[in-house]
Amino acid sequence: MPGVLDARDRNTALRKLTAGPLDVLVIGGGITGAGAALDAVSRGLRVGLIEGRDLAAGTSSRSSKLIHGGLRYLEQRDFKLVREALRERDLLVTRLAPHLVKPVPFLYPLYRKVVERPYVGAGLVIYDAMEGTKRPVPYHRHLSARGALRRAPALRPERLAGAMVYYDAQVDDARHTLTVARTAAAHGAIVLTRATATSLLRSDDGSAAAGERAPDTTGGRVTGARVRDEETDRSFDVMASRVIVCTGVWTDLVASLGGVQARYEVRMSKGVHLVMPRAAIDAETGMIVRTEKSVLFFIPWGERWIVGTTDTDWSGDRAEPTATGEDVDYILLAANRVLAKPLTRADVIGVYAGLRPLVAAAADTPTTKLSREHVVDVPVPGLATVAGGKFTTYRLMARDVVDAAVADFPRPVAESVTAQLPLLGADGLPAVRAAAQRLAEDYDVPLTTVEHLLTRYGALVPEVLEPLGRDRSLARPLLDGYPYLRAEVAYAVTHEGALHVEDVLARRVRLLIESPDAGVPAAAEVGAIMGGLLGWSRRRRALEVRRYLEFAESAAEALQSAADLPEPADSVLVPA
Ligand SMILES: Cc1cc2nc3c(=O)[nH]c(=O)nc-3n(C[C@H](O)[C@H](O)[C@H](O)COP(=O)(O)OP(=O)(O)OC[C@H]3O[C@@H](n4cnc5c(N)ncnc54)[C@H](O)[C@@H]3O)c2cc1C
């Protein structure tokens, strides 16, 4: 079936990858790699995508989950980035992924009426103007202090001079990445997770075509990659005419696997977010407030808020960056400067950290000042790398790196068509939305369940519900109090390539960050459903669950280690 990543049939993908030389091998299954695979395959190329862990296991499941122009980049005069990002946002909201990317209003509180309103207002006029007149989100609006408090009673009223409201959009980043990878698979890309590139293969004199001779890892053209299957610990070679490295903060490391020196430096900047219940902050809209260093977002996330973020240099483990007690306190203190009822650590349900892959300039440039624009490089023939950028602009990053990779391709390659390619679940969406009530009746589930599924799978909802006809137990909630169905766990295995309990609880459903106990109470249930489909023994199920508990424990450490919070500052923040 097109676009199905069936974890039970992983060997087929493995076999296909090694069957013969590919046109393009993409390394890295974050949003950039998934985007590059989709871009390349939809130009008619033979494409493979390998990911060392799970799709979106890196930064692409740990972002602020905004699809936005980036108001603060406007202040940095990064007009090109903002313009491009706004266009991408609108394309995603209207055509490419209307089921996944949703407009969201943000309130920008003002504290210095005379100086701030004209300054922020002018910025928002430019923000709106860059988008053009055909727009899927409303123009910004001015609010009085009373109007602001009506929308966000949580704000401290003293010194509040008014507010602006503007629109951006939000997305479940891991789900979006998965959907892009599935769309690539639907067009013929071979997608394999838990497959790590351990070296880049190179022809010895630079003249050999892919697969012509026994390759080594020094010398000329890059001709493929040696790959370790993390599930079996076996290695194999994948030959490809072009290799594209999309490994985010690992980009320099992966390039060096082939003895190639990246011509730019990727700096890692850690960003932490806190997840809180909706009841902790009384507001009907998202909010953005200034901090001393940058901005703080309050982002509505279903029944929760996501609050963040931080921006600090990181040089530790790239795979699992950790939040510290200091990070947690920084966010709470910054939030409490504008909130009437201070937040405490007891309000925090979850905390997560991610690493921004920033393309570095001078070593002493603060990461908040580094550009979010991307850099494409072709350091040696056969190899292209891309780094930097934002989730929002992944389609442009993908287009640019594929353009660079195939610039000297032996046959003509079509131009990128991804601006016209709706992601899986977007085609036919209005008809499935209209059929929501009928689907609820046919599968005997509440209408709210179908509505929940529509925001996650779009037009593919009938595919998720279909097994309920054979197994009614799949209609039960995975965990009481959360909208996820047991059927979604089964679908994660049969259609979304989930191989481990962590893949489901951290990225297919988001219980890792949404539940106060990191989804641990659901781990055994997930292990049982997955085990039934993947043929796990009782021992393997227990091992999988234990592995998840260890993973969830390390994620929660920051909250335990946080020291006592100082009293909130007296005054709200005002712009510098
Ligand atoms: C805190 C924070 C907030 C952010 N908020 C936003 C936002 O709101 N909006 C926005 O537009 N952008 C945001 N960003 C930026 C955005 O999230 C990133 O630019 C984007 O996710 C990077 O995607 P990527 O695919 O390049 O990297 P990643 O998602 O990290 O993917 C790289 C992948 O490569 C894999 N890999 C590494 N080495 C190998 C190997 N040898 N073999 C195989 N696979 C390998 C990794 O496992 C990983 O999955 C934010 C970033 C952070 C950190």
Side-chain angles (χ1 to χ4, degrees):
M1 226 189 299
V4 171
L5 303 180
D6 189 342
R8 298 167 300 180
D9 196 24
R10 185 170 176 271
N11 281 341
T12 302
L14 234 153
R15 229 183 2 258
K16 282 190 190 162
L17 267 185
T18 47
L22 300 166
D23 293 326
V24 174
L25 172 66
V26 179
I27 304 176
I31 189 61
T32 314
L38 176 58
D39 189 280
V41 78
S42 57
R43 298 182 190 211
L45 297 166
R46 250 177 255 286
V47 176
L49 168 66
I50 54 166
E51 159 54 47
R53 295 188 290 164
D54 182 27
L55 293 165
T59 305
S60 298
S61 57
R62 302 154 190 258
S63 75
S64 305
K65 309 181 197 322
L66 293 176
I67 298 293
H68 62 160
L71 204 49
R72 77 192 176 91
Y73 308 129
L74 208 54
E75 198 168 30
Q76 294 170 4
R77 298 178 183 277
D78 215 336
F79 298 118
K80 179 167 168 275
L81 175 68
V82 178
R83 188 181 301 110
E84 283 182 347
L86 284 172
R87 289 201 180 138
E88 287 304 301
R89 182 194 75 185
D90 290 356
L91 194 58
L92 286 161
V93 169
T94 52
R95 191 191 302 167
L96 304 189
H99 52 316
L100 302 176
V101 183
K102 300 279 170 226
V104 55
F106 280 96
L107 187 142
Y108 188 128
L110 304 170
Y111 295 99
R112 278 192 198 159
K113 201 173 196 166
V114 182
V115 194
E116 215 181 358
R117 193 181 282 280
Y119 181 71
V120 179
L124 285 170
V125 167
I126 298 172
Y127 203 66
D128 277 345
M130 279 183 167
E131 199 189 344
T133 47
K134 270 191 168 174
R135 39 189 303 121
V137 302
Y139 285 99
H140 77 275
R141 285 181 52 201
H142 288 251
L143 295 181
S144 63
R146 269 185 44 206
L149 286 169
R150 247 198 318 275
R151 289 197 176 205
L155 287 174
R156 282 166 83 163
E158 58 273 24
R159 297 182 61 189
L160 185 68
M164 317 289 289
V165 175
Y166 74 98
Y167 282 77
D168 260 320
Q170 70 179 161
V171 72
D172 177 339
D173 46 6
R175 178 145 293 281
H176 191 90
T177 303
L178 168 69
T179 309
V180 175
R182 284 190 62 189
T183 309
H187 289 277
I190 308 158
V191 178
L192 189 70
T193 59
R194 295 265 168 8
T196 306
T198 52
S199 59
L200 298 181
L201 307 175
R202 298 184 66 176
S203 63
D204 50 10
D205 63 3
S207 62
E212 270 179 6
R213 71 184 69 186
D216 64 24
T217 58
T218 58
R221 226 190 141 78
V222 169
T223 55
R226 181 146 300 159
V227 179
R228 184 177 59 235
D229 178 356
E230 302 293 349
E231 298 294 293
T232 60
D233 217 17
R234 284 200 208 109
S235 287
F236 57 92
D237 289 347
V238 179
M239 308 308 298
S241 169
R242 301 291 183 275
V243 172
I244 299 183
V245 175
C246 301
T247 49
V249 291
W250 288 267
T251 301
D252 49 345
L253 283 186
V254 175
S256 71
L257 293 175
V260 179
Q261 178 79 43
R263 286 187 290 191
Y264 50 82
E265 194 195 331
V266 176
R267 266 174 75 187
M268 296 186 275
S269 143
K270 187 181 76 170
V272 171
H273 289 89
L274 307 182
V275 184
M276 323 239 182
R278 269 313 263 271
I281 303 163
D282 186 8
E284 63 180 45
T285 148
M287 294 190 284
I288 175 173
V289 297
R290 273 176 181 275
T291 62
E292 278 138 358
K293 292 182 200 156
S294 182
V295 291
L296 187 77
F297 280 107
F298 297 77
I299 304 159
W301 180 255
E303 294 303 306
R304 278 150 211 95
W305 292 101
I306 292 178
V307 184
T309 180
T310 60
D311 199 333
T312 50
D313 265 330
W314 175 258
S315 54
D317 181 11
R318 298 179 198 219
E320 290 303 333
T322 44
T324 62
E326 267 176 22
D327 296 323
V328 174
D329 288 351
Y330 170 86
I331 296 171
L332 290 176
L333 276 174
N336 287 346
R337 289 191 169 183
V338 296
L339 297 178
K341 180 172 161 270
L343 298 168
T344 70
R345 230 166 286 127
D347 292 310
V348 182
I349 297 173
V351 52
Y352 64 91
L355 297 177
R356 299 177 188 86
L358 303 180
V359 181
D364 54 356
T365 313
T367 50
T368 36
K369 298 268 187 301
L370 289 179
S371 166
R372 264 56 171 173
E373 281 187 50
H374 59 273
V375 175
V376 169
D377 191 23
V378 180
V380 293
L383 180 69
T385 68
V386 59
K390 286 157 50 96
F391 198 102
T392 307
T393 51
Y394 75 91
R395 203 188 60 78
L396 305 177
M397 295 174 70
R399 179 199 65 191
D400 293 351
V401 75
V402 174
D403 275 349
V406 301
D408 59 348
F409 207 67
R411 61 182 157 84
V413 176
E415 293 201 341
S416 176
V417 294
T418 51
Q420 286 117 53
L421 270 191
L423 300 186
L424 233 55
D427 261 344
L429 183 63
V432 180
R433 270 194 190 135
Q437 181 64 43
R438 196 192 69 217
L439 284 166
E441 287 162 15
D442 288 354
Y443 289 99
D444 195 15
V445 291
L447 180 60
T448 49
T449 296
V450 178
E451 285 163 355
H452 151 80
L453 295 174
L454 275 167
T455 63
R456 295 167 48 72
Y457 309 93
L460 304 182
V461 169
E463 208 172 77
V464 182
L465 289 171
E466 191 267 333
L468 265 59
R470 295 187 297 279
D471 181 357
R472 278 306 297 171
S473 75
L474 293 176
R476 289 207 310 263
L478 174 61
L479 190 60
D480 282 340
Y482 296 87
Y484 305 112
L485 297 187
R486 294 176 85 251
E488 295 184 71
V489 179
Y491 189 76
V493 173
T494 57
H495 290 70
E496 298 181 339
L499 292 169
H500 297 282
V501 170
E502 179 204 316
D503 300 352
V504 171
L505 286 172
R507 290 171 292 274
R508 304 304 183 281
V509 303
R510 306 305 301 264
L511 285 175
L512 174 73
I513 58 169
E514 289 176 356
S515 93
D517 30 33
V520 165
E525 184 92 339
V526 172
I529 299 167
M530 294 185 80
L533 290 162
L534 292 165
W536 290 348
S537 64
R538 275 177 58 182
R539 207 163 142 243
R540 170 79 191 271
R541 286 179 203 197
L543 177 75
E544 284 285 337
V545 172
R546 204 164 53 242
R547 267 168 64 174
Y548 181 72
L549 300 193
E550 283 164 15
F551 171 77
E553 232 167 65
S554 65
E557 259 164 29
L559 287 178
Q560 286 146 18
S561 66
D564 280 343
L565 249 197
E567 285 298 305
D570 290 341
S571 63
V572 290
L573 274 180
V574 292

